[in-house]
Amino acid sequence: VSVPTGLFIDGEFVTSKAGNLFASENPSTGQELLKIQEGREEDVDEAVKVARRTFDDGSWSGSNPLQRAKLLNSLADVFEKNFDEIVALECADTGKTLNQCSKLDIPGAIGTLRYYAGWADKILGTTSFNIPGAFAYTRREPIGVCGQIIPWNFPLMMFIWKIAPALACGNTVVIKSAEATPLSALKACEYIQQAGFPKGVVNLVSGYGKTVGNAIAHHMDIDKIAFTGSTTTGRSILKASASSNLKKVTLELGGKSPNIIFPDADMEKAVDWSAWGINMNFGQTCHAGTRIYVHESVYEKFLNAYTERMKRVKVGSSFEDGVDQGPMNSKMQYDKILSYIESGINEGATVHLGGKPIESKKGYHIEPTIFTNVKPHMKIMREEIFGPVVCILPFSSEEDVLRAANDTRYGLAAAVHTKDYARAIRMTNGLQAGTTWVNMYNLVHYSIPFGGYKESGIGMECGEKALDMYTALKAVYFNTGMPCPG
């Protein structure tokens, strides 16, 4: 698979102004894949100038919405034509399994493009004749230049989640990929060229958060910023917005999601979905079901069945047949997860399964891990681990488990397993989370809004609601006979 290595500015791949390079590695082997151009603040400035010029000249912001839809669909066509190529690249750069990339990540990205292509000519305002002597209407206008910063865990999908609604609304984009997984964004920009997008509509500056990300967050000529990543960085972006030009902010941040098993649940299905709750992307997802609460009457039954299910998880490299769990994304993430496991042991929790690195394999592999005898105050219960680690705890009543589930600073996702739909409604109403599932886990669809409560974020990704994040609402009044009151 060939990959362009330059920054993507004004429709071309270019060398960074400083000429520095940084490496991307294959987490299955720990070996370098290739070196790419490293952007800095001056490259962000250039990309923003191009995006501003392109927005202001109206060639994109004022274009026929049907043309924007056509180009988004054309980009989806290019992805479909090169499906195997982009799957292979995403697997190599992230450590994802071939199964997940080919069935979830890439189809999800393509679906998102087509979904927002369908919205491009349906971004409508409202009208009012309810004011005597006046007529009013509203317009939803593109915000302007959008800065976007994406994470390493779903690099291509997050690239598309960010650009698709922004472009459908007529905005221009300056986007930063994660330094750990920059390759699929570069390839996507090559596809953007092939799809025929005008120059300057999408601009990609690869690089590090402390330089490129910080420059985007503080830039005085960026009108809106969208970020997916840690809550700590999200706070910094809010501060940067406040101290610069009060740019509009969307944040999709961390989680520590509860997954609740009631005694009347279909136990086999609850086990399978709970396993998927952590096995999807090997726990490297913000909505992973890491706190599993099981009713005390079925706790041992569930624990035994879940343990046997997790023992069957095949760990290996991305392209091995039948692999369920690939490597952790980077050495830094690998070390972080192992430090959390050590913390759990030191605080008195029991490693029921796993808990060790797999040193017999190349790359950054860790055994699927189950902790029991866990207390609410423990670090492994309070903080986002972002790896294949779950805590399983018993509960006695609906009231107690709802209180425990909500005892977190996060509020991204939660799940309930029960055949009692009155209970399911009570619980999903009471859970303080932006996404809740009943008798399933980890289904996130591009047509449904996705966002968090509390410290899990501000605003929404996906669905029609994402369009609100990328438009400014203007009210227009016409005098149809109202006399001046003064």
Side-chain angles (χ1 to χ4, degrees):
V1 179
S2 64
V3 182
T5 59
L7 310 180
F8 187 68
I9 299 176
D10 205 8
E12 304 293 339
F13 289 99
V14 299
T15 302
S16 63
K17 292 186 182 297
N20 295 324
L21 303 172
F22 70 102
S24 175
E25 69 172 9
N26 183 342
S28 290
T29 62
Q31 296 177 341
E32 180 181 307
L33 286 168
L34 79 165
K35 285 185 169 68
I36 66 170
Q37 291 291 319
E38 177 196 338
R40 296 286 180 90
E41 293 89 346
E42 57 269 27
D43 300 298
V44 173
D45 284 340
E46 181 62 25
V48 173
K49 287 177 185 176
V50 167
R52 172 60 61 195
R53 183 198 70 216
T54 305
F55 182 82
D56 288 348
D57 70 18
S59 59
W60 184 254
S61 57
S63 64
N64 188 330
L66 290 175
Q67 178 63 15
R68 299 201 292 268
K70 180 180 179 181
L71 286 168
L72 287 167
N73 272 317
S74 294
L75 182 55
D77 291 342
V78 177
F79 272 104
E80 287 180 341
K81 180 181 177 182
N82 297 282
F83 188 87
D84 291 342
E85 177 181 66
I86 195 66
V87 166
L89 182 62
E90 190 80 330
C91 286
D93 200 27
T94 64
K96 291 175 181 286
T97 65
L98 191 60
N99 185 55
Q100 180 179 317
C101 264
S102 60
K103 292 182 179 179
L104 292 179
D105 292 44
I106 311 308
I110 293 168
T112 301
L113 287 167
R114 298 206 186 282
Y115 175 78
Y116 284 108
W119 271 110
D121 65 341
K122 301 172 187 67
I123 301 168
L124 309 174
T126 59
T127 59
S128 173
F129 293 93
N130 295 331
I131 306 167
F135 159 66
Y137 66 89
T138 61
R139 281 172 51 86
R140 292 170 69 184
E141 300 177 347
I143 289 177
V145 176
C146 297
Q148 302 178 321
I149 302 173
I150 58 175
W152 51 259
N153 59 333
F154 288 90
L156 181 66
M157 189 180 291
M158 293 298 102
F159 182 90
I160 299 301
W161 272 24
K162 291 290 186 287
I163 71 165
L167 300 183
C169 293
N171 300 288
T172 57
V173 166
V174 176
I175 188 166
K176 174 201 172 295
S177 55
E179 55 265 33
T181 54
L183 301 187
S184 57
L186 289 164
K187 197 66 179 177
C189 288
E190 184 180 280
Y191 293 167
I192 285 170
Q193 283 181 320
Q194 294 174 19
F197 277 77
K199 292 182 176 183
V201 172
V202 177
N203 304 275
L204 169 68
V205 183
S206 311
Y208 293 94
K210 63 184 179 181
T211 50
V212 175
N214 191 56
I216 289 173
H218 284 90
H219 207 286
M220 294 297 292
D221 205 23
I222 287 178
D223 303 297
K224 184 254 170 26
I225 187 166
F227 168 77
T228 297
S230 73
T231 296
T232 299
T233 304
R235 291 181 190 279
S236 297
I237 286 172
L238 271 180
K239 291 177 183 177
S241 171
S243 66
S244 56
N245 61 342
L246 282 177
K247 55 180 65 66
K248 306 298 183 288
V249 178
T250 302
L251 303 173
E252 195 270 284
L253 306 176
K256 192 68 180 174
S257 301
N259 182 24
I260 302 166
I261 317 298
F262 283 98
D264 65 331
D266 182 314
M267 198 57 56
E268 183 178 352
K269 291 180 180 178
V271 166
D272 283 342
W273 279 108
S274 298
W276 178 240
I278 195 68
N279 289 342
M280 179 186 178
N281 220 42
F282 337 136
Q284 298 175 128
T285 176
C286 48
H287 44 75
T290 55
R291 295 185 293 143
I292 303 178
Y293 296 94
V294 185
H295 192 271
E296 58 191 10
S297 65
V298 292
Y299 176 80
E300 292 297 334
K301 180 180 179 181
F302 177 89
L303 179 61
N304 291 337
Y306 185 83
T307 302
E308 291 305 309
R309 174 67 181 80
M310 296 305 286
K311 285 179 179 177
R312 298 200 304 271
V313 171
K314 182 178 178 181
V315 180
S317 68
S318 302
F319 299 101
E320 286 182 46
D321 289 338
V323 165
D324 303 300
Q325 178 182 307
M328 302 304 101
N329 181 261
S330 66
K331 179 67 162 58
M332 183 173 68
Q333 187 62 21
Y334 171 84
D335 289 340
K336 178 185 173 184
I337 296 164
L338 291 177
S339 73
Y340 273 111
I341 292 172
E342 183 179 3
S343 168
I345 294 168
N346 291 341
E347 288 191 300
T350 300
V351 176
H352 182 77
L353 181 72
K356 297 177 182 178
I358 305 176
E359 296 176 347
S360 61
K361 294 182 178 292
K362 292 182 180 180
Y364 309 125
H365 299 275
I366 296 175
E367 295 175 338
T369 299
I370 300 171
F371 275 105
T372 57
N373 297 318
V374 183
K375 305 300 181 186
H377 70 273
M378 292 179 178
K379 194 175 179 181
I380 56 173
M381 279 288 288
R382 310 300 301 179
E383 298 184 14
E384 186 176 40
I385 297 173
F386 230 63
V389 181
V390 299
C391 301
I392 304 183
L393 304 84
F395 71 89
S396 58
S397 72
E398 189 175 307
E399 295 74 22
D400 287 343
V401 76
L402 187 60
R403 190 180 307 111
N406 288 334
D407 181 23
T408 172
R409 63 192 179 104
Y410 297 112
L412 194 59
V416 178
H417 300 263
T418 178
K419 294 176 183 175
D420 183 340
Y421 275 76
R423 172 190 281 152
I425 292 170
R426 285 195 306 271
M427 289 296 297
T428 54
N429 287 349
L431 286 164
Q432 296 167 1
T435 295
T436 55
W437 296 287
V438 177
N439 296 328
M440 63 190 315
Y441 206 99
N442 269 344
L443 175 63
V444 177
H445 195 268
Y446 47 78
S447 66
I448 305 298
F450 180 73
Y453 286 20
K454 299 189 277 189
E455 293 184 29
S456 286
I458 297 171
M460 287 286 176
E461 305 271 3
C462 298
E464 182 182 1
K465 286 297 179 184
L467 302 172
D468 294 340
M469 308 294 110
Y470 289 100
T471 50
L473 190 64
K474 176 184 286 182
V476 181
Y477 291 85
F478 275 78
N479 189 331
T480 58
M482 180 183 290
C484 180

